């Protein structure tokens, strides 16, 4: 009998042909230790209660489910509901996972946490929980991203983190991830590596998904309460894919709910300047797992482009690769221009400034909604707020502060 | 028996230890790779590890990453690396060549196509850094069908059970990573390495080479007393990096000859081990 989609990964960390543990021998023992510690924590009611407590009192969960009535009316079709992860402490879904991993780090007696970050959201969330738990925190960030995201760099420093610029490769997220892995392999005894997305070697894709699944679980209750039924489609943006996995996973066994992941099509798939690994990539091995990758014909990883730094990554979580192949989820692309339009629309029509990442999901919802009847429901994960994107958006509009 | 086993068998008979240098193919220019390989042989190398450049060399330190970036800037691909090996093989039929790199360029070419092309080019062993044994059973058997040795890493953190797991797949030799960290890191702890080598030999039955952190003749000599092979990588890359193209071969020859002499002076006589 085939394994149901929602029971993956298997014991060795595979989602069909994807996932796995593709790391050097030097990291194997650390991953074994992490896998055992996480398995024990999952069975420990005290750990689960601590996680629950911090999500409620520190993050501010549950996050609201909001009917974007005016926007839905304007679009003239399906009703759009927004899962308001932008209202979490630190302004995005990233904190859910960071709380979970920091609690695990404390349980494993690791006083030092490290992280990689692109736009800086995961770095800020990690620095935040490190401050909250009294841990030393080092964040690796591409030198190019540090230049683009100066405000987030300062936020991390205010929170007591050390931000290390990464000058190798393309000087962006993937290079920061390489550097964080190197730190981890060197200081494995006292260091916990908090990966920010559902990628990396097993157990990270599963563990990050589990911590983020609170998003989808809340939605199932909130949809029932507000609408008396589940949505016709769930829509989320996909870079590495953690907010999407978090909202998709509880819906995997729910029949009749379409799952739609929205990738960054940048300047258009045909332009080659995009970050749509599932739409335009091929399976390969990077950062500890097998998944869809943007690569050249020789297997070198290519540089990506998106107006949204958080989606600017050449790979994607292996569970998304599996959901694409199995057909349980669909993956589409939205361009920079379409995402910016949705960004402005949500600002003006609903009074919500969304993150540029989340604006990709919003843009696809705004394309889909008019083609559907008014009694259909689209659930969009509004994964983060857009304050961090002020400079990018102003820049695109030709405005200088 | 392959060239790698023949080489280790001969050295054991002579009571000598293997010197295994590592350079990155195409660094600083593909035109220099075959001359550098020739130089490594002249300096007394027994096996050569040839790095296949990759855009994201996660397990390497900054020195080898820079070498990879220089080679990629010259457009060096896995296919070109194989053709460089084939060129070297037209004049050297005895020195084993081990390719060392990452999984993705190989998967992009196709595992079976790669194994066949590598065998034709004259490759003797392949070490894929991000293929631990649990992910590489198919790859290892593809290599062995083409008479290529799958080379594996072991680390100070590897459990006894893993040493046995690696031993079941590995042939040629095992590459023991002497410290926690990436290539080119701080100097290694010889006593700690010495304690592990006998356990690895006992559980795997193949020779053990030691690398990561061997930066000078004295450390190479110390490692030669306890292991079957001494791997020198980042230090050589630095030498190439700091040399003009014209002087690179001479400088590498001087450096490596010194290390060779230190190893030979340190290696115990045959049968003493």
């Amino acid at each position: 009998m085939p394994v149901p989609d929602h029971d993956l990964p298997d014991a060795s960390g595979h989602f069909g042909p994807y996932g796995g543990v593709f790391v050097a021998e030097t990291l194997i023992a650390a991953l074994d230790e992490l896998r055992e510690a996480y398995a024990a924590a999952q069975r420990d009611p005290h750990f689960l209660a601590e996680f629950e407590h911090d999500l409620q009192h520190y993050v501010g969960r549950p996050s609201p489910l909001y009917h974007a009535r005016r926007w839905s009316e304007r679009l003239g079709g399906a009703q759009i509901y927004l899962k308001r992860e932008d209202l979490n402490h630190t302004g995005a879904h990233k904190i859910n996972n960071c709380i979970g991993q920091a609690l695990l780090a404390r349980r494993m007696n690791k006083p030092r946490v490290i992280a990689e970050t692109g736009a800086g959201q995961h770095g800020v969330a990690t620095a935040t929980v490190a401050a909250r738990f009294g841990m030393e925190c080092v964040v690796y960030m591409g030198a190019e991203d540090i230049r683009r995201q100066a405000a987030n760099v300062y936020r991390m420093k205010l929170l007591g983190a050390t931000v290390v610029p990464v000058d190798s490769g393309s000087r962006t997220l993937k290079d920061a991830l390489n550097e964080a892995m190197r730190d981890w392999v060197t200081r494995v005894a006292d260091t916990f590596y908090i990966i920010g997305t559902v990628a990396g070697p097993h157990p990270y894709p599963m563990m990050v998904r589990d911590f983020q699944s609170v998003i989808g679980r809340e939605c199932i209750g909130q949809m029932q309460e507000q609408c008396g039924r589940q949505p016709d489609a769930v829509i989320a943006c996909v870079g590495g894919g953690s907010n999407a996995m978090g909202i998709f996973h509880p819906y995997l066994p729910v029949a009749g709910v379409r799952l739609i992941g929205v990738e960054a099509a940048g300047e258009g798939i045909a332009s080659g300047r995009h970050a749509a690994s599932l739409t335009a990539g091929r399976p390969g091995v990077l950062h500890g797992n097998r998944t869809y990758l943007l690569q050249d014909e020789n297997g070198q990883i290519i540089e990506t482009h998106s107006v949204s730094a958080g989606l600017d990554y050449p790979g994607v979580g292996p569970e998304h690769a599996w959901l694409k192949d199995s057909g349980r989820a669909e993956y589409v692309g939205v361009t920079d221009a379409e995402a910016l339009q949705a960004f402005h629309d949500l600002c003006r029509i609903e009074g919500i400034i969304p993150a540029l990442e989340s604006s990709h999901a919003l843009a696809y919802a705004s394309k889909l909604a008019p083609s559907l009847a008014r009694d259909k429901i689209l659930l969009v994960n509004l994964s983060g707020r857009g304050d961090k994107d002020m400079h990018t958006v102003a820049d695109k509009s030709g405005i200088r502060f | 028996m392959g060239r790698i086993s023949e080489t280790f068998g001969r050295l054991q008979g002579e009571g000598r230890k293997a010197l295994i240098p590592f350079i990155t193919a195409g660094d600083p220019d593909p035109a220099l790779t075959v001359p550098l390989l020739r130089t490594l042989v002249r300096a007394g190398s027994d096996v050569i590890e040839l790095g296949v450049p990759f855009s994201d060399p996660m397990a390497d330190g900054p020195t080898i990453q820079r070498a990879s970036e220089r080679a990629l800037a010259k457009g060096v691909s896995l296919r070109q690396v194989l053709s460089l090996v084939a060129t070297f093989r037209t004049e050297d039929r005895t020195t084993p060549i081990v390719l060392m790199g990452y999984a993705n360029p190989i998967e992009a070419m196709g595992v079976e196509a790669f194994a066949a092309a590598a065998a034709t080019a004259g490759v003797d062993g392949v070490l894929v850094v991000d293929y631990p044994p649990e992910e590489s059973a198919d790859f290892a058997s593809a290599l062995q069908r083409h008479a290529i040795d799958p080379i594996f890493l072991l680390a100070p953190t590897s459990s006894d059970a893993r040493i046995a797991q690696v031993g079941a797949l590995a042939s040629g030799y095992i590459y023991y990573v002497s410290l926690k960290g990436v290539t080119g890191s701080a100097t290694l702890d010889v006593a700690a390495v010495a304690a592990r080598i006998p356990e690895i030999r006992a559980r795997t039955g193949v020779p053990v080479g030691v690398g990561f952190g061997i930066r000078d003749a004295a450390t190479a000599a110390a490692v030669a007393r306890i292991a079957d092979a001494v791997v020198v990588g980042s230090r050589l890359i630095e030498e190439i990096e700091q040399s003009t193209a014209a002087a690179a071969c001479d400088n590498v020859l001087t450096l490596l000859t010194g290390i060779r002499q230190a190893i030979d002076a340190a290696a115990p006589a045959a049968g003493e081990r």
Side-chain angles (χ1 to χ4, degrees), chain A residues 203-255:
Chain A
Y204 281 102
M206 170 182 81
M207 182 171 71
V208 176
R209 174 201 74 194
D210 292 349
F211 289 139
Q212 291 292 5
S213 291
V214 64
I215 303 172
R217 281 198 307 275
E218 286 176 3
C219 286
I220 286 182
Q222 289 167 323
M223 286 299 315
Q224 191 60 41
E225 209 173 281
Q226 289 188 31
C227 302
R229 70 178 185 91
Q230 297 306 320
D232 296 286
V234 178
I235 303 173
C237 65
V238 177
S242 70
N243 90 80
M245 252 357 283
I247 197 166
F248 285 179
H249 194 254
Y251 278 104
L252 291 179
V254 183

Side-chain angles (χ1 to χ4, degrees), chain A residues 326-340:
Chain A
S326 73
R328 178 62 188 94
E330 316 154 47
Y331 294 88
V332 296
V334 150
T335 64
D336 289 351
E338 292 168 327
L340 280 162

